[in-house]
Structures are given as structure tokens and as C-alpha cells.
Amino acid sequence: MDYSRWSKRALIERLQNLDKLVGTLEPETATNTDIVMVTTGEVDSTTPKRSRPPMKFDFSNFPKRKVAFKFSYFGWAYHGLARQGNALESEEKRLVESEFPTIEGEVFRALAACKLIEDESSCDYSRCGRTDRGVSGFGQVIALYVRSAGQYISDEEVEAELAKGTDASRITRDEQNGGRAVLLPLVERELPYVNMLNKTLPPAIRILAWSPVMPEFNARFSCRSRFYRYFFSEEGLDIGAMKEAALKYLGVHDFRNFCRLDPAKQISNFERNVLDIAINPVAAQVSFVGDGQSAQGRWWQLELKGSAFLWHQVRCMMAILFHVGQGLEEPSIVDKMLDVENMDGKPEYEMACDVPLVLADCSFDAADVQWIHMRNPGVDFGNMMGLDRAISHEWGQLNTRAVIASALLQNLRNTAVPMQSENSEGADQLELTPWTQCRDKLIRSELASRSRIVLGGGDIKHVKVYQPMVKRRRADPVHSRNKKWFERKGDGKRVKTSSEQTE
């Protein structure tokens, strides 16, 4: 407002009016939006207006459809896939989720933010594989009902659509929509689910594709097989012995000695079918830091395919393979541990590290799932380009950190340190020697006095005397542990459901 042409009297009156108005307000509430600039004959057009409260989103105006999402995640920053109850149900649950974040908690926050679900309890949610803290996923799958761009139609309109030749599969009627008929849109006109969620999710979690599914589809029970990978360095390992031992897992076996038992689950059947297993070198396309000419720089992966797995089964299987690879056990130890008649209690051993484990893929019948990666196939590559850029950025940051750590380690190894040596006359003297030479000498000396157990992911455990697996203390037999738990807790304790019993 231009005050340059106002008279002195008018300016005084203006200030007095403003002073009276401001004086009626509490200091903490006197904000720009509380002061309305009013004068005799003029209104300040620049005064900010009060913002209207956001309108509540009415989900009843929109039909739902059941879909499956395939997504990836780096699990090392999260406390596992599964959330603890309904993560968004209450302030207490939200606080727990913020302190101990989970993959599902992030996914449900994104679904709610995009107004794709109204709440967690009514969307018929199911997951394919439950991964633990630190474990990553390349092809995890969930299924649930989400908001659709479709429309409700009357019975007369249903007949009219069918008469026009509309595909009958586009017309659905289920309980989630109150039994009302819904005309689903063509794929290119459906909501851009992948784009919407990836704009909201943290960079470590990416939706890769979506698929329409039938109302009876369940991500866990409809899955035909799960495929895991476990990445490890060759350093200190006999790969040939590990391959020999790994093949012994193939087929249907009782894996009670290769899992973590929770008596609260009251599991009695530990038979699982390993459909395929192999130890292969990491593909050349996967970049890594290290000298490929050295064992430390050569990387391998256990590739494991099965219909279902027990809790921590893959990490326990991998732990025994590490023992074999280091020469601490013979490959035949796998046969002995699979023979539950003679080894009816699990020996005490530490399972392999969680970080190198990846749920690489989940397989379904082609009739159940048809993954959609782009809205207009062959035309719209926006989703794929966005995914490529996001994952490349994550890879770039992690690879940069690996290079920096590698450079620091190299500096350390090249540092000259004083080391005792004998001169030509046999007397001891100090001589500057690269630390890498001192280190190698110390490691050889260390291995002569104690055993070194590789656990994967850079984790190593040292023990003074290695105890062979068959001579170790064992847990009580499964039936005994289950009975003790049930007698102690009684009938009042809920036994965990079968969906909580697998990895």
C-alpha cells in the first residue's frame, strides 16, 4: 500500500486503529493472518487469506480392485519386512514403527499417502516371503485391494457393456465393493500405481511392477517357489567342497537342524523341498571393488530355489557351507545333520550374516500374475527409466563408499611399521616393513593357535578350539521343546499361525 500521499492525520488514525486491533490479541496468537488491514475507504488486497481445512477423502466414491505389487528393497537399514501389527493404527504403533522401521511400514505409509487404501485392516493384505532384519529383496510380492480409476455401474450398464463387446474380465463384483458392479479401466487408463508409490517411498524401496489378480489370490499361498541368493567372497574358502556339500540339500528333507525353532509356533513338520541349488560366480555384469585375480576379490553366490523355507533356514544352511569351505567340517556333515533320527537335536552354531542374503524372486502361475512394468507397452518407458535412475543412484552412493573404504584399507596396508628381524650377524633389529607383510605373518601365527570361522558379510568369529559339529551340545528334540512350552504357557497363549512360521 502506498502511504506517500497520506496526510499526517490519516496516518495517525491508521496507526491508532492497528494498535487497538493488535492490542486485543494474545502475543503468541498475533500473526499475519489474524490482522485484517482495514481503513476508512481502503482494503489491503495483499492480506493473506485463511486457508481452508483439507477436505476429507471419501473412499466410498471410488471402487477398489485387487492387485499384486512386485518390489525391491535394501534391507540393512530396516528391522525386517513385517510390521508389528497395524503400523498406522494408533500413535503408539506409529511411534514404534518410527523407532524400529520396517519395509511394510514404509509401504503402508506410501499407500495411505497416495490414498490407495483407507486402512490396513480392510485391504485383504498378504505377503509372499517374510524376510528378517538386514535381508534384502529383489522380487518381493504383496497383494491387496487398492483404489482404482474404474467406475461403479448398474446392472443395466453391465448388460450394455457386454453387448458392446467389453471384455467380461473388466467387470467385477466382490465384497470389497459391497457387491456393486465395477467396470475396470484399460491398463493404460488405470492409476499409475508404480509412479505414485515410488514418488512417496524412500529410495531404498522401489515398486518394480504391478499386476491385476483375482479376489482369491494370496501372495503367500499362490506362490509356487521362492528364489534366494547369498553373496560371499572366496577368501579362505574351498569352493569345490562347498559345491559338493550344497548338492546334498537338494530334494525333500527334514531341515529341523537348519532353522531357528520357536516353540510358540508349535511346528511339527520340518520337511521342505529344495527344488534347485548351485554355487555360481557373481556375473561379470555385477560390478564390485576388488582384485579379480585374488580370492578376496572373487565373489560367489549361493542360488537356492524352494517351495517354502523355515525360519532362518537359508542362513543356517549357508553357515554349515562356510564351515565346510574352511575345512572345519567335511561335506558329509550335511548328511549327518539331515539324518534327524541320529541327530534329533540341533547342534549349537551361529548362523550366517543377514546382509548378504536376498529374496531374489517369487514365482507364480502365468494365469495368476501378469506383471505390468509400463502403462503403454513399447511406448511409455517413464517407469523403467525412473527405476533405472533411482537404483543407479543408490548403487553409485554405495559403490563410492566401498571405493573410499577400499582406499583407506589400501593406505593402511601400505603403512610402514617397525618389525623385528635378524641381521647378518643373527642379532635382532627393528626394520620398517609394510603393514600388509606384518599382517600376513600375524594371521598365519593366529591361525596356528585358534580357528577362524567365516560368517559372511565380513563377519568373522574366532575360537580357541574348534568343536566338531557332531560333538557339540545339542538342543532338546523338537517334540520335547514344544511340549515344555505348551505346558508352561498353557492353553491361554495363542499359537502362532502357519503364515508366521516361514522365513
Side-chain angles (χ1 to χ4, degrees):
M1 180 175 291
D2 185 11
Y3 293 100
S4 60
R5 297 185 180 181
W6 282 40
S7 66
K8 180 178 179 181
R9 182 178 178 181
L11 287 171
I12 292 173
E13 288 179 353
R14 169 74 162 173
L15 291 172
Q16 288 174 339
N17 288 334
L18 291 175
D19 187 60
K20 289 178 182 178
L21 183 60
V22 174
T24 62
L25 300 174
E26 293 295 330
E28 62 268 22
T29 62
T31 65
N32 287 339
T33 55
D34 294 318
I35 304 173
V36 181
M37 303 297 185
V38 180
T39 63
T40 55
E42 287 191 73
V43 178
D44 188 351
S45 60
T46 63
T47 303
K49 298 180 180 179
R50 290 180 181 271
S51 59
R52 295 182 179 179
M55 295 181 63
K56 187 176 180 181
F57 193 87
D58 189 356
F59 280 90
S60 65
N61 292 332
F62 303 92
K64 305 171 187 175
R65 72 181 304 171
K66 194 165 191 181
V67 302
F69 289 121
K70 176 187 280 192
F71 63 103
S72 66
Y73 51 90
F74 296 126
W76 44 75
Y78 293 93
H79 291 256
L81 170 76
R83 70 208 189 283
Q84 301 301 317
N86 291 344
L88 309 180
E89 184 181 69
S90 65
E91 186 60 37
E92 181 182 359
K93 291 287 181 65
R94 285 192 287 270
L95 180 61
V96 171
E97 182 64 32
S98 65
E99 292 183 2
F100 305 98
T102 62
I103 305 297
E104 280 184 352
E106 298 285 7
V107 170
F108 272 106
R109 267 197 290 271
L111 288 164
C114 295
K115 299 294 188 290
L116 292 179
I117 61 168
E118 188 169 7
D119 57 66
E120 299 172 65
S121 57
S122 63
C123 61
D124 192 25
Y125 176 79
S126 62
R127 73 174 77 90
C128 183
R130 179 171 181 162
T131 56
D132 296 310
R133 175 178 178 173
V135 179
S136 298
F138 291 170
Q140 179 67 269
V141 175
I142 59 174
L144 72 165
Y145 275 90
V146 295
R147 175 169 61 94
S148 170
Q151 57 183 348
Y152 291 115
I153 57 175
S154 63
D155 292 340
E156 292 78 12
E157 289 172 315
V158 169
E159 294 180 7
E161 288 292 336
L162 293 175
K164 287 194 306 183
T166 300
D167 188 347
S169 65
R170 289 181 54 203
I171 300 175
T172 65
R173 196 190 298 263
D174 54 39
E175 292 182 4
Q176 285 280 335
N177 289 302
R180 297 169 65 184
V182 174
L183 176 62
L184 296 174
L186 297 172
V187 170
E188 60 269 23
R189 295 185 180 178
E190 184 52 280
L191 295 175
Y193 295 124
V194 174
N195 245 0
M196 292 170 68
L197 290 169
N198 282 339
K199 287 180 179 178
T200 309
L201 286 165
I205 305 173
R206 295 291 90 184
I207 304 296
L208 304 175
W210 74 279
S211 171
V213 294
M214 299 298 289
E216 61 272 16
F217 179 86
N218 183 288
R220 177 172 180 259
F221 295 109
S222 299
C223 181
R224 296 304 177 205
S225 65
R226 295 160 177 85
F227 179 52
Y228 282 91
R229 289 179 178 175
Y230 194 99
F231 296 87
F232 60 96
S233 168
E234 185 183 317
E235 184 181 20
L237 299 173
D238 181 343
I239 301 298
M242 294 178 70
K243 288 183 177 182
E244 180 183 345
L247 290 175
K248 296 178 182 296
Y249 290 128
L250 197 60
V252 179
H253 299 285
D254 188 313
F255 284 95
R256 68 183 61 198
N257 291 327
F258 294 91
C259 70
R260 182 176 176 183
L261 177 67
D262 181 358
K265 299 175 182 178
Q266 294 290 292
I267 305 176
S268 58
N269 179 16
F270 292 85
E271 283 195 350
R272 295 295 185 271
N273 187 9
V274 174
L275 302 171
D276 194 15
I277 188 168
I279 294 179
N280 293 316
V282 173
Q285 292 88 343
V286 180
S287 177
F288 57 88
V289 177
D291 178 11
Q293 301 303 312
S294 68
Q296 187 179 22
R298 289 193 293 272
W299 283 77
W300 296 78
Q301 56 189 344
L302 173 75
E303 297 179 334
L304 179 63
K305 181 180 180 182
S307 53
F309 295 89
L310 296 163
W311 190 21
H312 290 162
Q313 180 182 338
V314 179
R315 291 171 63 189
C316 288
M317 292 168 66
M318 194 66 218
I320 299 303
L321 292 181
F322 279 143
H323 282 71
V324 172
Q326 295 169 89
L328 300 172
E329 300 284 349
E330 294 294 324
S332 59
I333 187 60
V334 175
D335 294 320
K336 294 175 182 177
M337 293 179 68
L338 289 174
D339 183 2
V340 296
E341 295 294 328
N342 293 315
M343 190 178 285
D344 58 353
K346 179 186 174 184
E348 292 183 352
Y349 63 90
E350 195 166 342
M351 59 186 172
C353 177
D354 49 12
V355 174
L357 181 58
V358 175
L359 175 59
D361 197 17
C362 303
S363 299
F364 299 86
D365 288 338
D368 292 339
V369 176
Q370 303 86 41
W371 294 117
I372 299 168
H373 295 87
M374 53 189 71
R375 298 184 76 186
N376 295 302
V379 178
D380 182 6
F381 296 98
N383 285 349
M384 296 301 293
M385 184 58 72
L387 284 170
D388 190 281
R389 286 172 177 162
I391 297 173
S392 293
H393 181 259
E394 286 291 297
W395 173 85
Q397 289 194 322
L398 294 170
N399 205 32
T400 301
R401 294 180 185 183
V403 169
I404 291 172
S406 179
L408 175 59
L409 186 59
Q410 190 66 32
N411 286 347
L412 179 66
R413 299 280 171 86
N414 291 334
T415 301
V417 296
M419 184 177 180
Q420 280 192 346
S421 63
E422 292 184 0
N423 58 24
S424 58
E425 299 176 356
D428 290 340
Q429 65 178 15
L430 290 178
E431 183 179 341
L432 288 178
T433 308
W435 164 242
T436 186
Q437 295 180 21
C438 300
R439 173 182 175 271
D440 293 343
K441 184 177 180 179
L442 290 172
I443 288 177
R444 286 194 297 270
S445 174
E446 187 178 72
L447 291 177
S449 60
R450 58 178 180 168
S451 296
R452 180 174 178 267
I453 302 175
V454 173
L455 299 173
D459 291 348
I460 296 173
K461 181 179 180 180
H462 293 91
V463 294
K464 288 186 176 179
V465 179
Y466 180 77
Q467 184 85 356
M469 205 65 62
V470 294
K471 295 183 179 180
R472 295 189 184 188
R473 187 172 62 181
R474 301 178 189 174
D476 291 336
V478 171
H479 62 85
S480 176
R481 295 179 66 186
N482 284 345
K483 183 180 178 181
K484 287 180 180 178
W485 180 91
F486 201 78
E487 289 175 348
R488 186 172 68 253
K489 298 296 183 180
D491 297 318
K493 284 287 183 180
R494 181 182 72 88
V495 177
K496 295 182 181 180
T497 63
S498 59
S499 65
E500 298 170 293
Q501 296 178 6
T502 56
E503 188 173 53

